[in-house]
Amino acid sequence: MDFTFTEEQQAAAETAKAVFAGVAPDQVPSPALVPGAVADDLDRALWARLADTDLLGLVLDPAHGGSGLDPIALCLVLRESARALARVPLLETCAVALTIQHHAPAATADALLPRVTRGELVLTAAAHGRTGHDPAPLAVTARRDTTGWTLDGHTSAVPWAHQADRIAVPAHTPDGRTVLALLPRAHAGLTLADQYATHGELLAELHLDDVHLDDADVIDTEGTWERLHALLATGTCALALGLGEQVLGMTSQYTGKREQFGHPVATFQAVAVQAADRYIDLRAMEVTLWQAAWRITTDTTGALPAAGDIAVAKIWAAEGVRRVVQTAQHLHGGFGADTDYPLHRYHAWAKHLELSLGPAARHEEELGDLLAAHPLA
């Protein structure tokens, strides 16, 4: 079996590395020093560079101006973005765009996706639900009549909602199906309440009160939400891996230079063992990430549905990235909490990624349900 990335995937990663090389992780105020959001907008200059280098259309078909690559390539790019704490909705926009390409009517895809590729359209998704534990579609109801669809409910912790042009909102119908609404940010019946994440970014709680949408703005195809959720969860694991790798590298550099009793602290057994444990965490995060990305890219069947591999990857990502940043703070000592040093920012972002789409406990419950429904021989 060949486990190497293709030339196209490697080229996407190298392009991303070059784009994110100029991004400073401390380009906005520290979340420890501001009471609200660290900024009112995403990094528009970086967003423009991503469009210029064709990374926004990475997974879209050439017919829509994209590069036609797969979710594995997207995960490689996301991994690089997390190293720099890039303040852009790259995951959300690409995941929603790819879902539109697969499931939306052709007219909807033709109208939206070329604008995504050019960087003109920002997309996000309301994937958190009300609490992060319950399935997101249960937070909103969708009823269809002769004039279109009507949505009611509220959902929380929507990233980049204040800056997005369209918000993908999953909703459940009276007969138990799930639809995906492509909701314009400025729409009658929709209000956005400010929320703030641990990393200081502005989130939104969406309140939908008798929101009416045409059929063209609602994707009523089986499997739509499942595909979007799989992409978002796997992409979150890629972000956690990139962040964790960067933090472990920072820790290695610091402990190699910091001396105590005339020796670098990295040479002390207690320090080396802790760093080695975190390296093992990262390798487990990596292998489970690529297993999940491979499953959703190839639609390969297995003993469990792809959702099982995604749950395993998210469990490792949530628990692993938390342990990595905690150990990094410990080994840095008081220096790790210095707001002039970027480590505390990575810690705040790690906590956000740990809880995104639900904590590890939620995915452990989901994995248990899958194992019960698909007993292993």
Side-chain angles (χ1 to χ4, degrees), residues 1-6 9-10 72 287 290-291 294:
M1 299 179 66
D2 185 4
F3 293 100
T4 59
F5 298 113
T6 66
Q9 291 166 348
Q10 293 176 13
I72 294 176
V287 71
W290 297 129
Q291 171 71 10
W294 174 71

Side-chain angles (χ1 to χ4, degrees), residues 302-314:
L304 291 177
D309 291 294
I310 295 169
V312 170
K314 186 57 171 68

Side-chain angles (χ1 to χ4, degrees), residues 16-35:
K17 188 178 296 184
V19 171
F20 295 119
V23 178
D26 52 0
Q27 61 183 322
V28 294
S30 166
L33 301 178
V34 293

